[in-house]
Amino acid sequence: MLGFSVSAAAEEHRSELPQVIIETSEGAIEVTLRPDIAPETVDNFLTYVKNGFYEGTIFHRVIPGFMIQGGGFDENLNRKQTRDPVRNEAKPTAKNLRGTIAMARTSSPDSATSQFFINLTDNSFLDAGVRGPGYAVFGKVTGGMGVVDAIAGKKTVRSRGMADVPAEPIVIHSVSLRKTNGAAE
């Protein structure tokens, strides 16, 4: 009985979580965000979404069997100007599992700005406490994982000093917050 109550409550809570639609040149990816586990990270991400920052950015780093990363460069691999970095909210309980979205950062734990990645497999070595502070998971793909996998299968090249860049740009046309009735804002 207790298990039923908890899962019913969890299901109701999940329906209240914000969702975004990432429209790419390969199709749409739906992501449910988790402000309950990474509130500052989600707020940072949604600020970029609301400001239209991600329009015209690309998935610039694609590594099959690992992750796809985007949200910081345009089609010419020019870095976009970002806001100040956010605090790393990685937690040992928020695991980098297949389909989760996490913040990309430099070797400095509190350096994440706009770039994010979607895990293609369970990447436990990215979890907090495994090999350091970890990478902050702030949501999960809840629709369009086939699109994510298709992006992961694209041919990559070296370009402008960067490795694992898709040979043909994979453009993020828009990222929009879905309203509670299912429509995008």
Side-chain angles (χ1 to χ4, degrees), residues 3 15 22 30 36 42 47 50 55 58-59 66 68 72 74-75 91 100 133 143 157 161 166 171 178 180:
S15 68
I22 304 170
E30 177 189 89
D36 55 322
V42 168
T47 298
K50 290 172 185 169
E55 291 175 17
I58 60 169
F59 281 98
F66 179 38
I68 63 171
D74 67 19
E75 286 187 60
K91 296 172 179 60
T100 56
V157 297
V171 180
R178 177 176 272 181
T180 53

Side-chain angles (χ1 to χ4, degrees), residues 19-21 28-32 140-148:
Q19 293 182 323
V20 295
I21 306 298
I29 304 165
E30 177 189 89
V31 177
T32 298
K140 181 170 179 48
V141 173
T142 49
M145 197 62 194
V147 173
V148 173

